[in-house]
Amino acid sequence: MTQTSSHGTCPFDPGVRRWGAPYPGREALRAAGPVVVTEAPAGGPVAVVTTAALARAVLGDPRLVKDTALAPPTWDPRSAGLEPTAADALSLTTAEGATHAALRRAHAPMLSPRRIRARAGAMRDAARELLGGLGRLGDTVDLTADFTTRYPLVVVGDLLGVPRGMLDDAVEACRRMWGDEADGAAAMVGFARLGAAAMAHDGLARELRARLPAGVTDDQVHYLLFALIFAGQLTTDAALGFLLARVLVDGPPEDTAALVDDVLRRDPPAPFTLWRFAAEDVEIAGTPLAAGTPVLVDLAGVADDPGPSLAFGAGPHVCAGAHLARVELAAAVDVLVTDFPDARLAVPADELRRVDPGGVVGSRLAALPVTGLRARDG
Ligand code: HEM
C-alpha cells in the first residue's frame, strides 16, 4: 500500500492560483502510484485513483458504492460534502442497483441528445439575452459575477419548467449551499419551492414525475429536481469561466464542440468524483482497502491519459446531464463570438486567478472581466 501523508501540496487544500497553473498536489499524487492512500479532508484515509484506465474499472465496480451511510461516522457531513444517505433521500447520486437504474430510466428521455439538441436555439436566446443585459451595465463587466452563475440556472430552469421569475431565488439557493448549516437548510427550502413551482407548470419536471416508480412522494421529486438544478449549476458555472476565457484569449474556435471537450478535460469542473465507499474489503490494483474506505478518482489528474475524457465520469453514475452541459456550453461560445464580436478580456490573461475552495469541490475563476460586450446589432 502506498501511504502518503505529505505529497507536496495537498490536493484538497484551498487556495488561489493562476488560471493556467497546475492543480496542486496532482503530480506528486500520480507519481505515488495508481492508488494512493492519503489523508481525507474530513480526516482518516482516502484511496485516490490516479490513472484513467484504473478509474474506468473503479467507476464500474459494484463493490464501491455511493451510499453515504457507509461514510466514516466521524465525518461531519457538511464539511465533508456528503449528501444524505440513500435511505434518507432518493437520489441518483447515492442509489445503486435496481433503484438507481429505475431512476436513470426515468431521467433519460428528458436529457437525451435529441431532446437537448432541440433546445439549443432557446439556450442561445438565453445566452444572448443575459450577455446583452450585462453589456448595458457599463464598459467592463465580470462574466463570473453574473453570466456564468445565472445562465446555467436559466437553462436548467427552462428545461424543468421553473418560472423565469424565480431566477433570483435559484441563484440565492445555490449561493446558500456554500454557507453554514442554517444556510444549507434555507437553501433546501428554496430548492423545494423551485421544485414545487416547476411541478405546477407544464415542463419536464412533470414528465419526470410521471415516469418515476409508483410511490415516490412529492418531497422525493423535489430532491431529485434539486440535484439536477444544483449539479447543473455549479459545474457549468465553473466550466463557462474557463471556456469563455479560452475563447477571449485564443479567438473564435474552429470546432466549438472540440474546444468544449478540451476545456472540460483540462479543467474538469468536478476535479474529483463524488465519494464512493468500499462496501466490503476489496483490493484495487494490489492495494487492499478495508470495508468503508472512502475512494475518489482524480479526474483532473488523469487529463493527459489516453482514452475518452473522464470529465463526466464513467460507469452507471456517469453524468446524467452531459449532453445538456455540452450543448449549453457550446451555445454560450457561439453567442459570444457571433453576437458580441467586440468582447475582449479586460485584463492580461496571466492576471486571471482561479479559486480552489478546498476539499473535493472544483475551482472557479475569481473574475472574468470583459469589455466591449455590445451586441452586434445594438
Ligand atoms: C460541465 C458540466 C458538468 C460536469 C463536468 C459534470 C460532471 C459530472 C460527474 C463527473 C459526475 C459523476 C460523479 C461520480 O460518479 O461520482 C456527474 C454526475 C451527475 N451529473 Fe453532472 N456534470 C456536469 C453538468 C451536469 C448538468 C448540467 C446536470 C443536470 C442538469 C448534471 C447532473 C448530474 C447528475 C444528476 C449526476 C448523477 C448521476 C448518477 O449518479 O447517476 N450534471 N456529473
Side-chain angles (χ1 to χ4, degrees):
M1 185 186 315
T2 312
Q3 293 282 359
T4 58
S5 54
S6 61
H7 45 70
T9 316
C10 171
F12 306 119
D13 277 350
V16 178
R17 60 195 157 104
R18 271 187 308 106
W19 170 34
Y23 285 78
R26 294 313 211 275
E27 207 179 316
L29 202 61
R30 274 163 69 78
V35 180
V36 184
V37 178
T38 184
E39 173 86 8
V46 52
V48 183
V49 174
T50 66
T51 70
L54 188 57
R56 285 189 191 92
V58 158
L59 295 175
D61 189 334
R63 300 169 306 166
L64 302 173
V65 299
K66 301 188 72 184
D67 188 353
T68 55
L70 276 85
T74 50
W75 279 13
D76 165 44
R78 268 201 87 68
S79 60
L82 291 182
E83 275 195 84
T85 65
D88 285 343
L90 184 68
S91 173
L92 274 174
T93 45
T94 52
E96 299 289 354
T99 309
H100 180 254
L103 282 178
R104 290 289 300 214
R105 276 197 303 276
H107 283 74
M110 61 196 273
L111 296 164
S112 72
R114 188 179 58 82
R115 292 283 279 278
I116 295 302
R117 265 198 309 273
R119 304 189 69 87
M123 294 183 207
R124 282 195 291 271
D125 290 345
R128 199 174 292 117
E129 195 183 316
L130 287 170
L131 287 172
L134 285 179
R136 285 189 283 275
L137 286 181
D139 283 347
T140 304
V141 289
D142 174 9
L143 293 189
T144 66
D146 209 353
F147 179 71
T148 69
T149 324
R150 295 169 86 83
Y151 170 65
L153 287 170
V154 170
V155 170
V156 75
D158 283 357
L159 177 80
L160 298 175
V162 179
R164 281 272 183 107
M166 295 185 81
L167 180 58
D168 286 340
D169 302 306
V171 172
E172 180 64 4
C174 289
R175 192 189 61 76
R176 294 190 85 164
M177 284 297 285
W178 305 108
D180 60 17
E181 206 172 326
D183 274 320
M188 293 313 292
V189 172
F191 281 117
R193 283 203 196 104
L194 298 173
M199 301 261 284
H201 284 76
D202 205 12
L204 291 192
R206 273 212 199 155
E207 185 180 322
L208 173 66
R209 170 74 166 124
R211 288 180 193 278
L212 287 167
V216 173
T217 66
D218 279 355
D219 283 350
Q220 288 175 316
V221 180
H222 294 164
Y223 192 85
L224 295 172
L225 295 174
F226 145 73
L228 291 175
I229 297 169
F230 189 54
Q233 197 281 333
L234 91 146
T235 48
T236 322
D237 173 11
L240 276 166
F242 300 130
L243 180 63
L244 299 182
R246 272 279 287 274
V247 173
L248 290 162
V249 170
D250 295 346
E254 272 173 33
D255 180 342
T256 304
L259 176 70
V260 168
D261 275 348
D262 188 56
V263 168
L264 292 177
R265 189 177 181 119
R266 317 236 135 259
D267 280 317
F272 291 103
T273 51
L274 301 174
W275 295 107
R276 280 169 176 71
F277 307 96
E280 56 191 76
D281 291 350
V282 296
E283 196 176 291
I284 302 178
T287 303
L289 303 177
T293 304
V295 177
L296 290 174
V297 173
D298 178 8
L299 296 180
V302 304
D304 290 327
D305 284 4
S309 165
L310 283 169
F312 290 107
H317 287 279
V318 68
C319 179
H323 302 301
L324 174 61
R326 285 200 183 95
V327 173
E328 170 181 352
L329 291 168
V333 171
D334 289 346
V335 167
L336 183 71
V337 300
T338 309
D339 295 83
F340 301 91
D342 298 330
R344 297 284 177 271
L345 209 51
V347 296
D350 62 8
E351 283 182 21
L352 293 178
R353 292 289 176 273
R354 53 193 299 155
V355 179
D356 293 297
V360 297
V361 181
S363 58
R364 184 180 187 275
L365 285 182
L368 183 59
V370 170
T371 58
L373 209 61
R374 281 174 300 278
R376 199 186 35 191
D377 301 328

